[in-house]
Every structure is written in C-alpha cells, then in structure tokens.
Amino acid sequence: MGKKLIAVITDDEEMPALNLQRMLQLHVPAVKQTYIALSALEAKALIEQHQPDLLFLDVEMPVNTGFDLLNMIEHKTFEVIFTTAYQHYSIKAIRYSALDYLLKPIDVDELKAAVDRYLARQDTLQHRQQFINGLLENVKQTTEKNFKITLHTSEGLLFIKPGDIMYCKADGSYTMFYMINDKRIIVSKPLKEYEELLRDQPDFIRPHRSFLVNRAFIKSVQKEELILQNDVRIEIARRRKIETISKLNP
C-alpha cells in the first residue's frame, strides 16, 4: 500500500474547493484526508494543525493571495499544486520555478497526473522549501525577463537567469546547459521542455533539433552555421533556416 496523503485545499470560492475535494475522494485514493480553507489565514491555521503533504492553492484570492500565504509560513514542508483560472504573469513565474499548476475547471486526468508526479519525486524537505522560495523570488520580479529557471540537477537545485545561458544542447532525454561562465549543467529533462519554457523569451531560437541558442551570444552566421562569441559552431537545420534567419533579423 502506498503512502496516504493529507491535503489542504485553499480557495476563496467554496464550490470549486468542494468540487476539487470530491474529485480527490473519487479519483485519487492516495489522498486520505482533505481540509478546505476559504482564506489564506484559514489555510495557515490548517497547515499548522495538520502538517499536510499537499497544498492545493488558488493563486488569486482577495485580501491575501496564494503567494501571500506562502510568505506567511516559515517552514514549508508540503508540496504546492497551484490552481487558477488564469494564464498570466503568475503562471509563468510558477512554470519557471518548476512547480505544478492546474487550470480551472480542473481536469481529472491532469489532477491525477499532478499527484502522481508528486508521488514519483523524492525531494527532500529542504528542496521543497527551495522550490517555493525560488517561486517567491520570481513573483517579486517586475518583468518576466528577470525570472530565474529552477534546474533540478544531481548536485541539487540551481536557480539560473535565462540571460546567462549561451545555449542548450540535447543529449537524449537530457539537456546540457552551457553558461556564460563556462559552467556546464546537465538536467534529466529533454530539450523540448526548455524550448516550451523559454518560448516567451524572445532571445532564444531553435536552429536545430539538438540546440536552443541565446541569440545575444551569436557573433555571426556563416553558411549553415551560427558562430557564437566563444567560437562554438551551431548547425542550422535546413528546414529551420528560414525561421532562424527571420528571428535573427526581426
């Protein structure tokens, strides 16, 4: 028998909270007990009392937001799954911070997948706190360009600025990050995930299926290659040439 989880659902609207509670009861047997809070202060009290494994947290709440609640709690020993009806700045901060979110109305399969991802991870309490602290730092930023990406590596969590990435290279199901300080970071996620994550960052282009390049570090274009400032040569795939050149000359 697997681990039985305790969850706190925080939403300023009672009906969505009850619906989510019902979905967990019917479709996610790993969640043993759920508690509902209709405000950040109620949630804080429930968290302190029950020490949940999971916090389902509405981003937009009156008086105190979901982020305000996280700032209120000193020891964040739980995993957060955000729930929101909006695709906006906050969601991008959550994505960059490698945290889960569910869009309302919540889909059962997506809910089950989010809980399964939690069960499959083996993050330490320290890592959970670092993930959330990384998010709160991103939320403070006034522009998306200043968000930091959370990378889960074999050496621990790293928080990097997209502008410090020269290029990324695919290596099977892994991605290698080449940074401005000559540091290399390997992450056990495919390059496609980072292309999707950085799609709103205008400086990143995909000239080849194996590469994602920060155009700020491109020195020149020669025939079928990009020449970077450190003289690394990146092949331009034939089918991506027109798109790549157009992005280099907006």
Side-chain angles (χ1 to χ4, degrees):
M1 185 177 294
K3 181 180 179 182
K4 295 298 182 179
L5 308 177
I6 297 173
V8 169
I9 300 167
T10 305
D11 196 315
D12 63 295
E13 296 184 48
E14 186 175 19
M15 190 55 66
L18 290 170
N19 287 340
L20 176 53
Q21 183 182 52
R22 184 66 172 161
M23 290 170 70
L24 289 168
Q25 291 170 344
L26 290 175
H27 303 288
V28 189
V31 176
K32 177 179 68 174
Q33 185 66 55
T34 57
Y35 301 92
I36 290 177
L38 300 181
S39 71
L41 291 178
E42 284 184 32
K44 182 175 183 293
L46 285 174
I47 289 167
E48 290 172 349
Q49 180 181 355
H50 298 289
Q51 298 295 304
D53 303 286
L54 286 170
L55 173 63
F56 291 91
L57 182 57
D58 189 16
V59 175
E60 301 293 336
M61 295 188 293
V63 185
N64 297 116
T65 68
F67 302 131
D68 291 332
L69 169 60
L70 294 177
N71 276 311
M72 293 177 191
I73 300 170
E74 183 177 359
H75 300 294
K76 305 172 184 70
T77 59
F78 45 81
E79 184 96 356
V80 183
I81 299 176
F82 287 91
T83 61
T84 179
Y86 306 99
Q87 281 272 27
H88 52 25
Y89 179 90
S90 298
I91 290 299
K92 291 176 182 176
I94 292 165
R95 288 175 57 241
Y96 271 67
S97 306
L99 289 163
D100 257 325
Y101 69 93
L102 298 167
L103 288 177
K104 298 178 181 177
I106 294 172
D107 178 81
V108 171
D109 290 335
E110 291 178 1
L111 172 62
K112 291 162 65 176
V115 176
D116 285 344
R117 282 192 294 272
Y118 164 76
L119 291 170
R121 287 193 291 267
Q122 296 181 345
D123 295 322
T124 64
L125 294 181
Q126 179 186 12
H127 279 176
R128 289 186 200 172
Q129 182 115 357
Q130 287 177 319
F131 275 119
I132 296 172
N133 289 344
L135 166 68
L136 294 176
E137 285 299 314
N138 276 342
V139 171
K140 290 179 185 177
Q141 301 302 324
T142 56
T143 68
E144 296 164 22
K145 192 171 183 179
N146 294 324
F147 286 166
K148 289 185 178 180
I149 300 174
T150 301
L151 300 181
H152 202 163
T153 74
S154 60
E155 299 175 357
L157 296 183
L158 294 177
F159 303 91
I160 65 170
K161 296 178 182 178
D164 290 343
I165 303 169
M166 293 189 70
Y167 67 99
C168 302
K169 182 180 179 180
D171 184 7
S173 60
Y174 290 81
T175 298
M176 182 75 77
F177 287 76
Y178 292 80
M179 311 298 293
I180 57 174
N181 56 5
D182 293 327
K183 183 174 183 179
R184 297 181 184 183
I185 304 168
I186 189 165
V187 182
S188 59
K189 286 187 178 182
L191 182 61
K192 181 175 176 59
E193 288 203 22
Y194 294 104
E195 180 186 25
E196 292 174 355
L197 183 64
L198 293 166
R199 66 178 179 266
D200 298 316
Q201 297 273 353
D203 284 339
F204 284 88
I205 60 176
R206 187 87 181 265
H208 188 279
R209 66 190 300 268
S210 296
F211 293 96
L212 185 64
V213 180
N214 187 339
R215 68 178 182 178
F217 296 102
I218 297 173
K219 182 169 62 175
S220 63
V221 181
Q222 295 183 12
K223 295 183 179 179
E224 307 299 324
E225 293 181 319
L226 301 176
I227 314 301
L228 305 189
Q229 291 176 5
N230 60 357
D231 294 323
V232 168
R233 293 174 176 265
I234 305 290
E235 180 184 354
I236 302 174
R238 184 178 302 173
R239 69 184 185 87
R240 296 177 186 263
K241 185 173 182 179
I242 294 175
E243 179 186 358
T244 298
I245 298 302
S246 68
K247 288 185 177 180
L248 290 174
N249 301 283

